[in-house]
């Protein structure tokens, strides 16, 4: 069974850091580009970060550039999102996504809550 399981969310003060993890299973992880999305209350889901299947290239949303880092470990079937200098506007449910370019195949995790508040 295909699974993407996010973890690492929680409550953090502004300026703090969190590292989100996504554990993948049930598919050929190394063949998929991975992304982190987030959705805040009353807002649509937005793309936060992407990493290529081999980990050689990454892209970040303008709102998180300089603060977040996406990485992956294909040997462990894991993708990470290191979040630094967190702001209240980063508060959202964060979702892990897998996508294989050229295929109609995408997978989603269940999400993990990140709350940035003093």
């Amino acid at each position: 069974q295909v699974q993407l399981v996010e973890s690492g969310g929680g409550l953090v003060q502004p300026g703090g850091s969190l590292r989100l993890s996504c554990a993948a299973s049930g598919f050929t992880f190394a063949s998929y580009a991975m992304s982190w999305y987030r959705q805040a209350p009353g807002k649509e889901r937005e793309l936060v970060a992407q990493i290529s299947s081999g980990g050689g290239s990454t892209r970040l949303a303008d709102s998180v550039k300089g603060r977040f880092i996406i990485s992956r470990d294909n040997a462990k079937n894991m993708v990470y999102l290191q979040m630094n200098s967190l702001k209240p506007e980063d508060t959202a449910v964060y979702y892990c996504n897998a996508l294989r370019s050229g295929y109609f195949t995408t997978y989603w995790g269940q999400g993990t809550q990140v709350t940035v508040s003093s």
Side-chain angles (χ1 to χ4, degrees):
Q1 183 177 0
V2 170
Q3 285 190 307
L4 294 173
V5 181
E6 301 96 331
S7 62
L11 175 64
V12 65
Q13 295 186 42
S17 297
L18 285 173
R19 189 176 81 151
L20 305 184
S21 299
C22 175
S25 61
F27 66 101
T28 51
F29 179 77
S31 296
Y32 286 72
M34 299 297 298
S35 300
W36 288 95
Y37 288 76
R38 68 186 182 188
Q39 187 166 26
K43 299 181 66 177
E44 63 185 18
R45 190 171 298 187
E46 67 171 336
L47 177 63
V48 177
Q50 295 177 304
I51 187 166
S52 61
S53 59
S57 63
T58 62
R59 290 191 286 187
L60 297 170
D62 287 343
S63 59
V64 305
K65 283 182 179 177
R67 300 189 297 121
F68 290 12
I69 301 170
I70 187 170
S71 61
R72 68 190 296 161
D73 186 340
N74 284 352
K76 297 180 179 179
N77 286 4
M78 297 286 291
V79 62
Y80 308 96
L81 185 67
Q82 178 66 47
M83 305 185 295
N84 301 314
S85 302
L86 283 161
K87 305 174 180 179
E89 50 263 47
D90 295 319
T91 296
V93 177
Y94 284 71
Y95 297 91
C96 181
N97 171 265
L99 176 66
R100 190 171 185 181
S101 297
Y103 295 80
F104 290 104
T105 304
T106 187
Y107 305 122
W108 291 92
Q110 84 291 342
T112 186
Q113 176 71 49
V114 172
T115 302
V116 184
S117 177
S118 59

